Amino acid sequence: MTKANDSVTIMDIPFLNTTKDDFLHQYLFPRLADQKKSFVVTANPEIVMRAKEDTTYKEIIQSANYVIPDGSGILMAAKYKNEPLQERIPGYDLMLDLLKHAEEKGYSCYFLGAKESVNEKVVKEVNRQYPGLKIAGHHHGFFAIDDPEMAATVKTANPDLIFVALGVPRQEMWIAKHKDQFAKGLFIGIGGSFDIIAGETKRAPQLWINLNLEWLYRLIKQPTRFKRILKVFEFMGRVILRRD
């Protein structure tokens, strides 16, 4: 858990108040060097709302070493509370920085999640972009969360970083259930990042990202996300009306 004076709490979820660069250099890189186990949650309003509705899931999020703000709605809520967060830390960007660092330092990575075809494309693209990266292993996301053999397979690979793309809430549930079996490892749920790396989904243009409108771009490109966007509006409504 993060220290109280380093975080901003939104609906009982403590968000680390830092920049992406500081998060990497002051928190994650030192823990990787010391082989300290870490659980990182890249949280957006959807995750916060799910945690509000599911006590067990909330406890999982609260048990993470770090919860970072991946969503403009989180920044808006913090600002409305007069406790502004320094910046949004997108899980996708964080993943790319971690891959680069792992290549430089000789750390190994495991890629867990997505469809088999997408998972294979991810590994192929990562090999292309980071030719010196050690890939400990990879596996698609179609398995039961409590499957002990899957967890044992990842553990045997002995990775330094485990990127888990099982979607919300499965990725955080899998990490929380199995991480104690590992002696080391940076565990991070990265949602749809595999789809972006594999070229299955296009990320918003940089201008949209700079304007904190990446959510709107996704909605335009994927109208089926509308129900998920409604959760964002519900989240902001609760913040504005100070119901939480």
Side-chain angles (χ1 to χ4, degrees):
M1 290 293 295
T2 54
K3 297 179 181 178
N5 60 347
D6 293 331
S7 66
V8 174
T9 299
I10 299 174
M11 294 189 191
D12 299 325
I13 304 299
F15 286 85
L16 184 65
N17 190 7
T18 187
T19 64
K20 179 169 67 73
D21 285 347
D22 284 349
F23 182 45
L24 287 165
H25 290 90
Q26 296 183 17
Y27 295 85
L28 297 187
F29 290 172
R31 291 181 71 90
L32 277 168
D34 293 337
Q35 294 192 336
K36 290 183 177 179
K37 196 158 38 179
S38 304
F39 175 16
V40 178
V41 174
T42 60
N44 55 21
E46 181 188 359
I47 286 180
V48 174
M49 289 301 296
R50 183 175 285 272
K52 177 176 176 55
E53 298 163 357
D54 184 336
T55 301
T56 300
Y57 186 62
K58 177 190 283 188
E59 291 173 353
I60 288 174
I61 301 303
Q62 292 174 331
S63 74
N65 295 95
Y66 309 109
V67 182
I68 58 172
D70 181 2
S72 56
I74 300 298
L75 266 65
M76 292 169 64
K79 187 175 181 179
Y80 190 83
K81 286 166 58 72
N82 292 319
E83 299 178 69
L85 289 159
Q86 294 186 52
E87 69 178 29
R88 178 186 171 218
I89 305 178
Y92 176 76
D93 294 342
L94 189 66
M95 179 180 180
L96 297 187
D97 286 339
L98 287 170
L99 288 173
K100 180 180 179 182
H101 184 71
E103 180 186 32
E104 293 172 349
K105 297 296 183 180
Y107 298 136
S108 62
C109 300
Y110 199 103
F111 300 87
L112 183 65
K115 295 185 295 185
E116 185 170 10
S117 60
V118 172
N119 188 282
E120 291 175 353
K121 287 180 181 179
V122 167
V123 173
K124 183 177 180 180
E125 182 62 20
V126 166
N127 268 323
R128 186 186 70 80
Q129 293 188 35
Y130 310 94
L133 182 71
K134 296 179 181 178
I135 296 181
H138 65 99
H139 196 281
H140 62 74
F142 291 86
F143 57 86
I145 291 176
D146 57 356
D147 183 352
E149 293 185 6
M150 187 68 255
T153 297
V154 181
K155 180 182 177 182
T156 300
N158 196 34
D160 296 294
L161 299 96
I162 303 94
F163 297 103
V164 186
L166 301 178
V168 174
R170 291 183 72 237
Q171 57 194 27
E172 290 80 25
M173 292 171 65
W174 187 89
I175 293 171
K177 185 173 183 62
H178 300 290
K179 65 181 176 65
D180 289 345
Q181 303 174 31
F182 293 72
K184 65 174 183 178
L186 192 165
F187 296 80
I188 179 170
I190 40 75
S193 295
F194 280 12
D195 289 322
I196 298 175
I197 292 176
E200 298 290 310
T201 302
K202 288 186 178 181
R203 197 178 183 197
Q206 192 60 47
L207 177 60
W208 291 67
I209 295 173
N210 293 342
L211 294 174
N212 287 323
L213 292 175
E214 191 169 7
W215 63 273
L216 179 58
Y217 180 86
R218 290 179 182 176
L219 178 59
I220 294 171
K221 293 295 183 178
Q222 298 173 282
T224 54
R225 294 175 61 92
F226 183 70
K227 288 185 178 181
R228 295 173 62 180
I229 296 299
L230 287 179
K231 281 295 180 183
V232 177
F233 290 125
E234 181 183 350
F235 167 81
M236 289 307 302
R238 288 184 173 275
V239 170
I240 292 171
L241 295 176
R242 297 186 182 276
R243 289 182 179 175
D244 298 282

